C-alpha cells in the first residue's frame, strides 16, 4: 500500500505550527479585549444550512462542498465556512436571550473542494468573529478596529482594507442596481467569460469580481453600487467612512468587491497583502442583516469576518529558533530521569537523551536544543550527591548539593525558559 496525503491537504508542523500558534493566541488575546467569547461548532452540519445561508448559486455551495451521507441517507456537509454554523447555534441555542448583543469568535478547519494552489487548500484554517444584534455603523467600525488591532499585534501592518457597500434587498436598493448592472453587462456580453455569461442570469453582481482579464476590462466602467444604494444604506456607509477617517483606519473603496457568499448586505470588506498576490485575500467579511430571516428566525442584525490562517502564516517571516530550558546529562538512568521529572514538575522545560549516549554526544544534543543550562550527573556528582550546573551562555560551571538544585535554578532561571 502506497501512503499518500489527500490532494489539497497538508500536515502542519515545525515553523508552520509556531506561526499558527502565534496567530491564534494573538486573536484570542485581542478578540477577548473586545468582548468576544470563543465558540466551537461541529465540523459538519446538515447540507441545507449552507445551501440556504451561503446560497445555492455560489461557488462554495454549487461546486465546492464536501458532502457525505449519514446511514439514514441524510445529506451532511463538511463546513465550508463558519458563519452559517455560528448563526445556527445562535438560533438553536437561543444565545440572544441572554443579551441583546453577543460576540463570538472561532478558529478551526474549513473544507472547500477548490483547485489547490499557493495559499489555497481543500482543508484550510480560519479565525473568524461574528457580532450579533447591532445595526448601527459603530459595530462595523468596531470590527474593523479589532482587525487593525489584531494585525498590529502580529506585526502584519502591511495589510490593507478594501471596502464597499452592497446595499439591501429593498426594491429601490440592490434589486434596482442589479437591473442597471444587467443593462450595462448585456452591452458588454461579448467580452465576458463563459462563466460570467452564466452569472449574468444567476448572480450578476459576481461578474464584477471575476478575475478574468477580459471581464475586469469589461466591467471597469460598470455602474458603482455604492453610488446607487438606497438612502439608508448610503447613510450607513457614509457614517462608517467618516468614523474610519476619525480613527485613522486607512481603506480603499472598491466598487467591484461583492464577496462570494450570498448572505451579505450593506458593508463588505476584504483584507489584502501585496505579498499574497492579487487574487488571494487574507480575509473578508461584512454585514449579513438578512441571514436570520432566511433561516425563518426573527431578524438579528449581524456582521463578522474570517481570516485565512494559512495565508496569514505565509506573511509571517522566518521564525527564530526558540531557545531555553535545561538538559540533564549523565549515565545513571534512574537518577537522570528522576531529576528530569522533578524539574519538569517544578515548571521547567527539561530534556535528556533517552538513549544515554556518550557524554560528548549528550552535550552536543544539549547545544543543538538551544538550552540555557546543562545539569551534569557524572560519576563524581553521584558519589558526592551533587549536581554540576553549566551555563551555556558563559560556560561557567558550579557544583551544588543535589537538594539545593531547585533553589539555585529558581534564582538563575525563569520557569518555562
Ligand atoms: P471567505 O472570504 O469565503 O469568507 O473566506 C475568508 C478567508 O478564508 C479568505 O479571505 C481566505 O483568506 C480564506 N480562505 C478561503 N478559502 C480558502 C482556501 N481554499 N484555502 C486557504 N484559505 C482560504 C467567509 O468564509 C465568511 N464566512 C467570512 C465572514 C464571517 N463573513 C461574515 N462573517
Amino acid at each position: 500500500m502506497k501512503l499518500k496525503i489527500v490532494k489539497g491537504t497538508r500536515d502542519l508542523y515545525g515553523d508552520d505550527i509556531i506561526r499558527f500558534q502565534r496567530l491564534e493566541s494573538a486573536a484570542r488575546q485581542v478578540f477577548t479585549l473586545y468582548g468576544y467569547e470563543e465558540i466551537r461548532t461541529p465540523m459538519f452540519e446538515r447540507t441545507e444550512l449552507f445551501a440556504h445561508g451561503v446560497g445555492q448559486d455560489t461557488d462554495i455551495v454549487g461546486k465546492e462542498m464536501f458532502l457525505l451521507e449519514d446511514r439514514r441517507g441524510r445529506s451532511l456537509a463538511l463546513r465550508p465556512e463558519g458563519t452559517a454554523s455560528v448563526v445556527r447555534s445562535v438560533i438553536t441555542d437561543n444565545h440572544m436571550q441572554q443579551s441583546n448583543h453577543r460576540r463570538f469568535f472561532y478558529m478551526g478547519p474549513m473544507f472547500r473542494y477548490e483547485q489547490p494552489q499557493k495559499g489555497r487548500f481543500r482543508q484550510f484554517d480560519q479565525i473568524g468573529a461574528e457580532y450579533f444584534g447591532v445595526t448601527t455603523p459603530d459595530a462595523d467600525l468596531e470590527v474593523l478596529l479589532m482587525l487593525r488591532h489584531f494585525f498590529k499585534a502580529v506585526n502584519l501592518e502591511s495589510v490593507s482594507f478594501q471596502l464597499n457597500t452592497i446595499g439591501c434587498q429593498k426594491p429601490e436598493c440592490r434589486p434596482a442596481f442589479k437591473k442597471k448592472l444587467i443593462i450595462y453587462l448585456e452591452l458588454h456580453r461579448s467580452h465576458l467569460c463563459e462563466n460570467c455569461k452564466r452569472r449574468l442570469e444567476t448572480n450578476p453582481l459576481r461578474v464584477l469580481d471575476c478575475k478574468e482579464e477580459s471581464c475586469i476590462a469589461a466591467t471597469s466602467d460598470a455602474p458603482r453600487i455604492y453610488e446607487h444604494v438606497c438612502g439608508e444604506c448610503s447613510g450607513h456607509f457614509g457614517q462608517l467612512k467618516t468614523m474610519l477617517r476619525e480613527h485613522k483606519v486607512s481603506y480603499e473603496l472598491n466598487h467591484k468587491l461583492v464577496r462570494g457568499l450570498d448572505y451579505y448586505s450593506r458593508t463588505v470588506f476584504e483584507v489584502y497583502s501585496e505579498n499574497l498576490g492579487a487574487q488571494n485575500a487574507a480575509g473578508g467579511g461584512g454585514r449579513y442583516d438578512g441571514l436570520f430571516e432566511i433561516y425563518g428566525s426573527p431578524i438579528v442584525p449581524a456582521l463578522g469576518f474570517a481570516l485565512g490562517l494559512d495565508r496569514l502564516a505565509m506573511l509571517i517571516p522566518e521564525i527564530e529558533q526558540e531557545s531555553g530550558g535545561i538538559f540533564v546529562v549523565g549515565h545513571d538512568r534512574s537518577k537522570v530521569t528522576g531529576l528530569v521529572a522533578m524539574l519538569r514538575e517544578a515548571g521547567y522545560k527539561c530534556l535528556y537523551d533517552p538513549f544515554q549516549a556518550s557524554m560528548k554526544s549528550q552535550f552536543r544534543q544539549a547545544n543543538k536544543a538551544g538550552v540555557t543550562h546543562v545539569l551534569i550527573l557524572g560519576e563524581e556528582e553521584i558519589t558526592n550527591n551533587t549536581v554540576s550546573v553549566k551555563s551555556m551562555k558563559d560556560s561557567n560551571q558550579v557544583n551544588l548539593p543535589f537538594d539545593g538544585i531547585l533553589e539555585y535554578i529558581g534564582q538563575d532561571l525563569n520557569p518555562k525558559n
Side-chain angles (χ1 to χ4, degrees):
M1 180 179 166
K2 193 164 173 239
L3 295 183
K4 252 173 99 179
I5 193 162
V6 174
K7 184 175 174 182
T9 68
R10 60 184 180 145
D11 302 312
L12 289 168
Y13 48 83
D15 286 358
D16 280 333
I17 277 293
I18 293 172
R19 291 187 176 96
F20 268 57
Q21 286 170 344
R22 285 190 190 169
L23 290 161
E24 286 165 350
S25 74
R28 275 207 173 85
Q29 200 208 340
V30 172
F31 295 0
T32 304
L33 299 178
Y34 290 74
Y36 283 76
E37 300 164 62
E38 183 163 357
I39 185 166
R40 299 187 193 193
T41 61
M43 260 183 264
F44 55 91
E45 300 268 359
R46 289 170 178 239
T47 305
E48 66 214 32
L49 177 78
F50 303 110
H52 289 161
V54 176
Q56 254 346 321
D57 294 326
T58 60
D59 286 350
I60 294 178
V61 168
K63 301 193 257 185
E64 297 171 359
M65 277 205 293
F66 278 92
L67 298 175
L68 23 136
E69 221 175 59
D70 72 8
R71 284 168 187 256
R72 295 234 209 119
R74 287 170 297 207
S75 177
L76 304 172
L78 295 187
R79 62 181 185 193
E81 60 107 47
T83 309
S85 305
V86 179
V87 168
R88 197 261 314 126
S89 175
V90 171
I91 297 169
T92 55
D93 290 20
N94 274 321
H95 295 307
M96 300 309 288
Q97 242 171 26
Q98 275 182 45
S99 164
N100 56 9
H101 64 293
R102 298 294 303 266
R103 301 179 182 91
F104 291 105
F105 76 90
Y106 51 91
M107 42 187 78
M110 308 291 161
F111 307 84
R112 294 184 194 176
Y113 199 92
E114 289 192 87
Q115 209 39 49
Q117 50 174 266
K118 187 171 172 245
R120 179 172 299 158
F121 304 96
R122 290 186 175 171
Q123 174 176 330
F124 57 97
D125 271 69
Q126 283 188 344
I127 298 181
E130 315 291 349
Y131 185 178
F132 299 102
V134 185
T135 28
T136 45
D138 34 292
D140 309 36
L141 171 74
E142 187 190 288
V143 163
L144 289 162
L145 287 177
M146 184 169 87
L147 269 172
R148 181 175 69 171
H149 191 157
F150 167 77
F151 284 116
K152 199 164 174 209
V154 291
N155 290 321
L156 288 178
E157 286 170 78
S158 60
V159 298
S160 60
F161 292 122
Q162 295 205 357
L163 195 66
N164 194 14
T165 179
I166 57 164
C168 66
Q169 289 293 8
K170 275 192 289 185
E172 68 272 28
C173 199
R174 199 184 320 150
F177 172 77
K178 259 191 199 166
K179 285 184 193 147
K180 286 185 197 125
L181 181 65
I182 290 171
I183 293 170
Y184 173 91
L185 293 175
E186 285 293 357
L187 290 173
H188 296 78
R189 184 181 253 277
S190 59
H191 299 288
L192 300 180
C193 71
E194 286 312 307
N195 229 343
C196 282
K197 283 185 183 137
R198 195 180 44 76
R199 284 185 184 133
L200 199 48
E201 321 295 331
T202 56
N203 203 345
L205 251 62
R206 289 285 289 158
V207 176
L208 291 173
D209 79 349
C210 178
K211 302 296 185 278
E212 291 287 332
E213 288 291 331
S214 58
C215 298
I216 292 174
T219 52
S220 60
D221 289 328
R224 292 164 187 256
I225 189 162
Y226 54 68
E227 289 167 359
H228 291 85
V229 293
C230 71
E232 271 179 67
C233 289
S234 167
H236 184 101
F237 199 47
Q239 281 181 53
L240 173 62
K241 286 186 293 181
T242 305
M243 289 189 291
L244 286 171
R245 278 192 296 273
E246 281 165 9
H247 287 265
K248 298 194 170 42
V249 177
S250 42
Y251 63 86
E252 234 177 81
L253 280 186
N254 178 0
H255 74 99
K256 291 187 173 187
L257 176 62
V258 294
R259 309 277 297 132
L261 305 90
D262 278 356
Y263 49 59
Y264 290 108
S265 54
R266 294 196 168 168
T267 316
V268 286
F269 56 87
E270 275 180 346
V271 186
Y272 282 91
S273 160
E274 277 173 25
N275 305 339
L276 285 176
Q279 296 215 11
N280 281 341
R287 267 199 176 270
Y288 47 95
D289 294 339
L291 183 53
F292 282 75
E293 218 181 352
I294 291 174
Y295 291 134
S297 169
I299 293 174
V300 177
L303 74 162
F305 63 82
L307 301 169
L309 208 46
D310 305 78
R311 294 186 190 173
L312 288 183
M314 286 162 58
L315 301 174
I316 295 190
E318 227 169 273
I319 303 284
E320 328 100 53
Q321 198 60 41
E322 291 249 340
S323 64
I326 300 167
F327 201 105
V328 179
V329 303
H331 281 123
D332 185 324
R333 189 176 284 274
S334 82
K335 284 253 161 38
V336 169
T337 52
L339 180 57
V340 167
M342 183 178 91
L343 289 163
R344 285 175 177 165
E345 273 165 36
Y348 297 98
K349 173 182 169 185
C350 192
L351 304 171
Y352 73 106
D353 174 17
F355 300 103
Q356 306 268 282
S358 69
M359 285 301 234
K360 206 170 147 194
S361 160
Q362 292 190 31
F363 268 102
R364 223 181 295 125
Q365 292 175 51
N367 236 328
K368 203 170 155 204
V371 297
T372 54
H373 290 75
V374 174
L375 266 51
I376 306 159
L377 280 176
E379 271 169 40
E380 220 180 295
E381 282 88 355
I382 288 171
T383 316
N384 301 327
N385 203 22
T386 60
V387 185
S388 296
V389 181
K390 182 176 177 186
S391 158
M392 298 300 271
K393 271 185 218 133
D394 50 20
S395 290
N396 270 349
Q397 192 166 318
V398 285
N399 186 258
L400 303 162
F402 192 94
D403 294 338
I405 189 71
L406 271 184
E407 196 187 335
Y408 174 82
I409 287 180
Q411 290 160 8
D412 206 35
L413 262 178
N414 289 322
K416 300 184 189 79
N417 232 354

